[in-house]
Amino acid sequence: QVQLVESGGGLVQPGGSLRLSCAASGRTFSTYSMGWFRQAPGKEREFVATISRSGGTTVYADSVKGRFTISRDNAKNTAYLQMNSLKPEDTAVYYCAADRTPVGYPSTVIYEYDYWGQGTQVTVSS
């Protein structure tokens, strides 16, 4: 079992930046691919970004490409999501997730992920 804890959310003005962190328990972090997803009020949870076990492969949703950067530090059991040029439509609860049996490319599909954090609120508003 892996426990994931997100942090770093908050209120930011349009055009601003935030860095989310996802701290994982256990000693098998480096064997999981990691993903970030988000859910806005009244909408379904959607894919944001994912990173392979080694960090060598990343995939982004078109809506965040060029603005968000996913990374990981396997020595610290932590994944990150750097969010720049934030827009009001980025407002959502952001969740990190771990895929414990990644095959090939890191997945963008929600049901491929086995462990989820509790989420952190990001609000972009002036």
Side-chain angles (χ1 to χ4, degrees), residues 8 11-20 67 82-86:
L11 173 64
V12 63
Q13 292 186 342
S17 298
L18 282 175
R19 189 195 196 199
L20 306 183
R67 300 187 298 122
Q82 177 67 43
M83 306 185 295
N84 298 330
S85 303
L86 282 161

Side-chain angles (χ1 to χ4, degrees), residues 27-112:
R27 291 180 281 184
T28 54
F29 178 76
S30 63
T31 66
Y32 305 142
S33 61
M34 297 297 296
W36 286 95
F37 295 81
R38 67 186 181 186
Q39 188 166 17
K43 295 187 176 181
E44 294 187 351
R45 195 170 298 189
E46 65 176 6
F47 167 75
V48 175
T50 184
I51 189 167
S52 61
R53 291 173 290 182
S54 67
T57 301
T58 57
V59 182
Y60 296 92
D62 288 343
S63 59
V64 307
K65 202 171 294 184
R67 300 187 298 122
F68 290 12
T69 302
I70 188 171
S71 61
R72 66 189 296 163
D73 185 337
N74 287 343
K76 295 183 178 179
N77 280 14
T78 303
Y80 305 96
L81 186 68
Q82 177 67 43
M83 306 185 295
N84 298 330
S85 303
L86 282 161
K87 305 175 181 180
E89 51 264 42
D90 294 317
T91 295
V93 177
Y94 283 71
Y95 299 88
C96 71
D99 178 359
R100 63 186 174 92
T101 55
V103 177
Y105 227 55
S107 178
T108 64
V109 179
I110 288 178
Y111 65 74
E112 295 283 353

